[in-house]
Amino acid sequence: ARKPRVTVLGGGTWGTTVASIAARRTDTLLWARDPRIAEAVNRTHQNPRYLAGFDLAQGLRATTDLVGAVERADVLIAGVPAQYLRAVLERSVDHVRPFIPIVSLVKGLEQGSRKRMTEVIGEVLPGNPAGVLSGPNIAREVVQGYSAAATLAMPDHHSAQMLQGVVNTSRYRVYTSEDVVGVEIAGALKNVFALAVGFGDGLGAGDNTRAMVITRSLHELTRLGVALGGRAETFAGLAGMGDLLVTCISPHSRNRYVGFELGRGRPLEEILASMNQVAEGVRTTAAVMKLAAERGIDMPIAREVDAVLNHRQPVEKTYRGLLRATPGH
Ligand code: 13P
């Protein structure tokens, strides 16, 4: 059989990286909104805006033509920020071929609707199987070829196998799972907790505090994730514990960075205005709080993050709150 033609939507750090992996296996096209990115990928095999200095697969091509990119695809991989995915899909809807699988790389919830990305995909394109690829995957490390792994959750075995054939390599190992909800919730939630760890780091807290917050965060994340239909094992795996850990400790994490700068006393608006990327946790936190309230789940760490981001609570107060909210120590 012919190898599937892949289209990746989104020329950010992770969309570009996954497109570069897929381009080594099969015909892959990257859709980027910014013509300078598309042109640079085609001409120099680099993405100077998001992955400056790193070489991408020679065979990767890029375009700004969304309709053309979508209508050729045997599989669509979506790497646009959570708050924009619905709009990009709506522009594509008449051009996506029936039944082709759609995979989300996005680690966030839609703010107003509180929906997961596969739910958004399901609403816009109800006839296409929708799944998620997620794990501890700092893009610049993957693009350099350092070992990493991730979990791929698809609703059916056929599309899982097809996708694995496209993105699994000896250095980027893709394990399959059937828990779409759990993998997706884990990816969205870990960003909220990386902000909390960043607060502590910015305030000068130590490794004990960091380990405490990460450990308690895993409990919170698992409680809400299970209540929303995810499996407990998923949260202990690569997409859960693994991604929580890397996002809370990596100097390259955007979410941890926003938390860190808040911890150092910079105002949120200024931090966000100075970044050329999206820290998904900033918008996802309010949605998480509403989901937790609906399910009657207490999330003391997420609540403190929400207070800082959305209710102007000073970070110092939050950190006292975090400590108070962690009994038994
Ligand atoms: P950030 O979005 O915080 O950079 O997290 C990266 C990530 O998801 C690593 O798996």
Side-chain angles (χ1 to χ4, degrees):
R2 178 173 67 78
K3 283 188 179 172
R5 270 195 298 260
V6 173
T7 290
V8 178
L9 302 176
T13 48
W14 190 228
T16 302
T17 301
V18 172
S20 182
I21 293 172
R24 295 203 168 85
R25 323 291 301 275
T26 189
D27 176 358
T28 302
L29 184 62
L30 177 66
W31 172 76
R33 204 177 34 139
D34 183 344
R36 289 165 300 184
I37 291 178
E39 203 220 333
V41 168
N42 290 329
R43 204 164 40 79
T44 67
H45 309 292
Q46 290 200 355
N47 181 336
R49 186 172 156 108
Y50 295 117
L51 288 164
F54 299 117
D55 290 325
L56 306 171
Q58 292 285 322
L60 177 63
R61 290 174 304 116
T63 181
T64 56
D65 170 17
L66 181 61
V67 168
V70 160
E71 63 193 8
R72 70 185 282 281
D74 298 315
V75 46
L76 268 184
I77 301 180
V80 297
Q83 312 310 324
Y84 303 113
L85 181 63
R86 186 185 292 274
V88 170
L89 293 177
E90 279 171 350
R91 282 168 58 202
S92 316
V93 73
D94 295 333
H95 310 281
V96 177
R97 301 201 354 248
F99 314 119
I100 66 157
I102 305 180
V103 186
S104 163
L105 306 175
V106 190
K107 294 169 178 173
L109 299 172
E110 195 175 50
Q111 197 169 28
S113 72
R114 297 164 230 164
K115 295 214 158 113
R116 290 178 284 106
M117 294 298 105
T118 59
E119 293 181 289
V120 171
I121 295 168
E123 283 179 6
V124 183
L125 293 157
N128 296 84
V132 55
L133 176 69
S134 190
N137 298 156
I138 297 292
R140 61 163 60 221
E141 296 180 10
V142 175
V143 89
Q144 288 176 94
Y146 293 114
S147 288
T151 305
L152 171 72
M154 295 300 297
D156 65 289
H157 183 65
H158 176 75
S159 36
Q161 270 201 318
M162 174 188 183
L163 256 301
Q164 215 178 13
V166 166
V167 289
N168 179 63
T169 71
S170 58
R171 283 182 287 182
Y172 183 67
R173 288 196 178 273
V174 175
Y175 296 90
T176 54
S177 157
E178 276 153 32
D179 187 12
V180 175
V181 174
V183 170
E184 198 163 33
I185 284 289
L189 281 168
K190 60 89 184 174
N191 288 325
V192 176
F193 300 108
L195 283 155
V197 169
F199 295 164
D201 291 350
L203 286 165
D207 290 328
N208 295 336
T209 307
R210 183 180 303 121
M212 171 187 74
V213 176
I214 293 172
T215 306
R216 298 304 306 167
S217 293
L218 186 62
H219 283 269
E220 273 188 44
L221 190 158
T222 304
R223 263 200 314 270
L224 180 62
V226 168
L228 294 172
R231 293 185 202 149
E233 313 88 82
T234 298
F235 301 101
L238 284 167
M241 158 83 172
D243 200 8
L244 175 69
L245 194 55
V246 86
T247 311
C248 289
I249 65 178
S250 173
H252 302 297
S253 159
R254 298 158 289 197
N255 289 285
R256 182 190 163 279
Y257 172 80
V258 170
F260 183 82
E261 293 297 310
L262 282 164
R264 290 180 36 191
R266 273 176 85 194
L268 180 63
E269 297 70 25
E270 186 192 304
I271 301 164
L272 297 181
S274 72
M275 291 170 72
N276 73 351
Q277 299 203 47
V278 174
E280 291 281 10
V282 174
R283 296 279 204 102
T284 289
T285 301
V288 167
M289 291 319 294
K290 293 212 181 73
L291 289 174
E294 282 167 12
R295 297 291 188 291
I297 291 175
D298 188 29
M299 297 186 72
I301 299 175
R303 196 194 315 123
E304 296 293 336
V305 175
D306 181 56
V308 171
L309 295 177
N310 302 318
H311 307 288
R312 304 204 162 266
Q313 176 172 294
V315 176
E316 293 80 2
K317 182 157 182 290
T318 290
Y319 242 68
R320 285 203 301 278
L322 283 179
L323 296 170
R324 253 208 320 271
T326 308
H329 294 273

